[in-house]
Amino acid sequence: MHLTDLQTPALVLEPHKLRANAERMRARAEALGVRLRPHMKTAKSHDIGKVAHSGVTGPITVATLNEAEYFAAHGWTDVLYAVCIAPGKLDRVAALTARGVKLTVIVDALEAAQAVAEHAGTHSAMVEIDCGEDRTGISPDDPALVAMGRVLHTAAGCTFEGVMTHGGHSYSEHEPSAMAQVAEDERAHAVRAGDALRAAGLPCSTVSVGSTPTATHARHLEGVTEMRPGVYLLGDLFQSGVGSCTSADIACTVLATVISHRRHSNRIVVDAGGLALSKDRSTAGTPFDAGYGLVLDALTGQPLGDLCVTSVHQEHGEITSRDPMPWKALPIGALVRILPNHICMTAAMYERYHLLGHGGQIDGIWTRTNGWAERPAQ
Ligand code: PLP
């Protein structure tokens, strides 16, 4: 099969770029002296998980139980579910534990810790620390930290692992030095929380931090045991804008077809709109604003001038340029590829990756999981 045979919009993956991104982050984790527990919420693919761990299964992070079930079905047994556990989901956690998966859940409230402690079959738990994003998590100085640690440590059948944090406020920063400061926020908060637990006589074998910008820009990770970047595997225009990768490293693009010429307003319309690209405008307001995505030649992957998707409807994407449109190069039916703003959101609408090989050849298809539904054990 060839790229030109695909129905559009379609998600296209360049495996050599993926492998290089994975290799770079493995080397980074090694240099920082921490275990790599890649977050699979972006890629949602066991094949990509294997690339992240150079061909084998290993520790991973997930953001939904659907992902945990999908990875478990493909033989992954060390999974951190890094969203505060809803007590009503503990039966699903226990079912995975019963299948031999070490599924670690996180809590930031005493009621949740008690629910975990009382739920037979729950295996492993951590407390989430807030290091400045103010999404979820508690301060390392909050007495609730030790209270939760004690409840989890003393519960029968539950292993209390330690603490984790996520410096999501790195996404409000655009300068490497500011990213490095958020990385230090992550490290210092998590380490302080670990110290508070140990001072109270509790174990804390895991001190977990991570995002792609902080993993890239951290100066050191003393006291930390693992990091959890995820978007680095595929990359996107926000990450290239903040220096986590270059735009040439972005491994995943959306293939789209030209469907209309709007010559009176110098616009081309493609069949990839808000659903196919997502409406995440994470580059908005930055010096590297890329609209809803930058436009590439479908075969060479080279940028087509300054062509950019600047407006979207559900199934229409409007491409504009400061220069006259290359109408002849992009007739109705022509293919383009679009670099995504935020790949986690863009990829979420697709069930598969098409692996792009030499000369536009499609060398294979890798499936993804999506959504929140319970996946039956296989
Ligand atoms: N850990 C947690 C808890 C997260 O929520 C995320 C992303 O949202 C990550 C790790 C991975 O960060 P990134 O998407 O920057 O790679």
Side-chain angles (χ1 to χ4, degrees):
M1 191 195 269
H2 193 264
L3 195 70
T4 48
D5 299 323
L6 297 178
Q7 286 288 299
T8 56
L11 201 57
V12 172
L13 176 65
E14 292 176 81
H16 68 285
K17 295 188 178 181
L18 166 70
R19 280 194 295 273
N21 295 342
E23 175 62 44
R24 224 174 28 251
M25 194 57 87
R26 279 199 301 274
R28 181 85 183 124
E30 205 177 311
L32 289 164
V34 295
R35 174 173 59 230
L36 182 60
R37 183 182 285 281
H39 206 315
M40 287 296 139
K41 76 183 193 54
T42 311
K44 295 191 188 236
S45 151
H46 70 95
D47 290 301
I48 294 182
K50 285 264 183 75
V51 176
H53 279 299
S54 57
V56 294
T57 61
I60 51 168
T61 312
V62 299
T64 67
L65 284 177
N66 172 282
E67 291 164 40
E69 289 157 356
Y70 163 88
F71 278 93
H74 289 94
W76 297 72
T77 55
D78 181 0
V79 181
L80 168 63
Y81 171 36
V83 173
C84 286
I85 186 71
K89 292 179 181 166
L90 285 168
D91 283 345
R92 262 171 100 178
V93 173
L96 281 164
T97 302
R99 283 161 60 188
V101 178
K102 181 185 175 211
L103 181 69
T104 303
V105 298
I106 65 167
V107 296
D108 77 351
L110 196 54
E111 302 94 293
Q114 276 155 352
V116 170
E118 285 160 17
H119 196 279
T122 307
H123 196 86
S124 171
M126 298 172 81
V127 175
E128 181 172 15
I129 302 302
D130 176 24
C131 63
E133 184 186 21
D134 195 17
R135 180 176 70 177
T136 45
I138 58 164
S139 159
D141 309 318
D142 188 329
L145 168 62
V146 169
M148 282 188 261
R150 193 152 285 134
V151 165
L152 294 167
H153 179 55
T154 53
C158 180
T159 308
F160 178 54
E161 292 283 337
V163 290
M164 56 76 67
T165 192
H166 167 61
H169 49 312
S170 59
Y171 280 76
S172 317
E173 305 293 349
H174 308 138
E175 296 299 326
S177 60
M179 300 277 181
Q181 184 50 53
V182 178
E184 179 53 19
D185 289 348
E186 274 189 339
R187 189 200 71 80
H189 282 70
V191 168
R192 197 155 89 233
D195 289 346
L197 288 166
R198 290 185 204 101
L202 291 165
C204 182
S205 58
T206 301
V207 177
S208 178
V209 301
S211 73
T212 293
T214 55
T216 306
H217 295 287
R219 294 194 183 100
H220 71 92
L221 287 182
E222 220 175 295
V224 167
T225 64
E226 67 175 29
M227 66 178 190
R228 311 178 312 274
V231 70
Y232 73 96
L233 285 162
L234 302 180
D236 58 31
L237 289 165
F238 182 85
Q239 297 300 332
S240 65
V242 298
S244 304
C245 63
T246 69
S247 58
D249 296 327
I250 299 173
C252 204
T253 45
V254 170
L255 184 71
T257 305
V258 173
I259 57 168
S260 182
H261 282 176
R262 320 297 294 164
R263 287 176 188 262
H264 58 283
S265 55
N266 199 42
R267 285 176 300 137
I268 279 178
V269 180
V270 289
D271 62 351
L275 286 179
L277 299 173
S278 101
K279 292 187 89 168
D280 189 306
R281 288 275 292 106
S282 51
T283 62
T286 70
F288 46 91
D289 188 348
Y292 294 89
L294 297 180
V295 183
L296 308 178
D297 180 273
L299 281 178
T300 65
Q302 291 305 307
L304 286 172
D306 70 342
L307 267 61
C308 179
V309 182
T310 49
S311 167
V312 288
H313 308 255
Q314 185 165 338
E315 302 295 349
H316 300 74
E318 296 184 10
I319 296 175
T320 57
S321 171
R322 283 187 296 272
D323 300 319
M325 271 298 164
W327 305 110
K328 279 209 182 118
L330 294 178
I332 303 296
L335 293 175
V336 293
R337 281 194 287 137
I338 300 169
L339 287 171
N341 245 314
H342 185 180
I343 186 61
C344 309
M345 301 294 174
T346 301
M349 286 305 286
Y350 297 88
E351 288 171 357
R352 55 188 66 90
Y353 298 94
H354 300 275
L355 308 193
L356 184 60
H358 289 297
Q361 215 46 47
I362 297 299
D363 290 341
I365 286 176
W366 285 350
T367 57
R368 296 169 41 92
T369 192
N370 279 320
W372 302 267
E374 186 160 1
R375 294 177 65 102
Q378 286 165 356

